[in-house]
Amino acid sequence: MSTFEIGAEHFLLNGSPYRVMAGALHYFRVHPDQWADRIHKARLMGLNTIETYIPWNAHSPRRGEFRADGQLDVVAFLELVAAEGMHAIVRPGPYICAEWDNGGLPAWLFEGVGVGIRSSEPQYMAEVTRYLEQVLPLIAPLQIDRGGPVILVQIENEYGAYGSDTAYLTELVRLNRAGGITVPLTTIDQPTTQMLENGRVDGALMTASFGSRSRERLATLRAHQSTGPLMCGEYWNGWFDFWGGYHHTTSADETAADLRELLATGASFSLYMFHGGTNFGFTNGANDKGVYQPTVTSYDYDAPLAENGDATAKYYAMKQAISEFHAVPEESPGPPVEAPIFAVDLDWSVSLHDVAETAPTWHHFEHLPTADEVQSFDGFTLYRAALAPGDSRMLRVEEVRDRATVFVDRVAVGTLSRAAQERLLALPGGAAGWLQLLVEDQGRVNYGPRIGEAKGLIGSVSMNGQALLEWDVLTLASRDLDALVATLTGRGEPLGALDAVAGPAFVGGSFTLDAPTDLYLNLDGWSKGSVWVNGFNIGRYWSAGPQLALYVPRGALVGGRNDIVVFEIHAAASPRVGFVGGPQSGPSDV
């Protein structure tokens, strides 16, 4: 068996100095059929280690549930890392940030009164303990001293930017050791005095996160840690996008030049990201630093390896930089493969209103519940209240998280958006029937003090100043929608190629492939919603941009017939969708 230790100045692999050159690759953002390909291309670029988070909320979507199969089979992923001859760094959190929904913390975690967040509060720590007791037995047998690839395990994530509860970090160290983790433990923080000091804990090596000025930032790290290897635990080489913003890119040459500076220091590093992947389904997070900004479906990150696995100009520039300091494989990952281009006319539709009328699972309340109160932890929640005839009325929602489309007797009358801080909407006079609000959880905040907040309608909803207290609520979270899509496929009302789509509706059809291949789906002329291909939710789309095409991994496709279902909230000019040759982005129109 091998050993991996922290020396006075270097990591020591079997007693000899070893430089960790890692790249972040999140198994939960990549289809399992493509894990091996992405790992292989990391080695070809010159990296020797794969780093991944573990998202608690994905593995435990409901209290008492824990799964590690399919796209969540972290053991299979790490075994592929080992098969490629590479090492692994594992970051199990419990908090991970990662532009991931709620920073990886389960929404059900905060159902109780007084539950702490990222602290030593007893209720929170009891759940963290249960989580680590479930996940660490998967990781411990794969450590390097037991013949596996894992050489480092990280405690929490950039904790110094959030708090200073040393007792919390100390308990995480204890829990990891009690769970069988014997390899070195690390922390990570941005290299400022306050963050490094708040995030340090006995028993863990401090690492830093940055993307430039390596000598300066490593000097700051050394000032707070006089011995041990220097490491940039996250070397930022790109950035993420949010809906309504612009597509972030960085220069390949400048990124490679910054990497050369880091390589010249001799420090270890992990590229964030080597390969970003995709926020499939409703897994994206959001930022809120005064303005709510939900992350887009693509997590391409302008990384060296693109969302579809193509090597970019940045990949080759960074490989060249690494080759100037270390031997790299001569093998090339090969040229990009362009996806096929064709159109599909969807041919059936089912109104959400029709589905809702016959749904057996409406919950009745005599107060306004949050989405969390009805276990609607992602996706959509449909609220309805009886509306008597009357003159023009003013609807007021105290707070919407995050976007509500308002209907009166099935007719759309407006939208209330958290990002735009909209709370008031004038309703037409004379309308009666049901007042309905279709509320979309656009992604839970993953960074800062708003982690853990509830979703749905918050506070109160009033009509002309009078609170509405009688509510029926229907959950349309990911599980509900996945099951619904499976039952609706091919069973809706027929659509013609020139028919307009009136949302909210499920619209579907099929297309044929000779063999599975990566695709990009563009919904030009559509407004906002989500898409399922063969029952796999490939993510959200929105005309707000900047993302204009959704990546469809070949692992979600089959040779022969493939089914596609689009859930459109608003409207589309026609039921046609287009498969395009590659990723597309554009300026926001909001």
Side-chain angles (χ1 to χ4, degrees), residues 307-319:
E307 185 177 15
N308 67 345
D310 283 346
T312 66
K314 187 178 287 186
Y315 178 102
Y316 291 106
M318 296 178 81
K319 178 173 182 174

Side-chain angles (χ1 to χ4, degrees), residues 504-517:
F506 298 90
V507 188
S510 64
F511 58 94
T512 301
L513 295 173
D514 292 335
T517 184

Side-chain angles (χ1 to χ4, degrees), residues 348-352 355 481 484-485 488 504-508 565-567:
W348 62 264
S349 177
V350 177
S351 167
L352 174 63
V355 172
L481 289 172
L484 185 57
V485 164
L488 293 178
F506 298 90
V507 188
V565 177
V566 179
F567 176 50

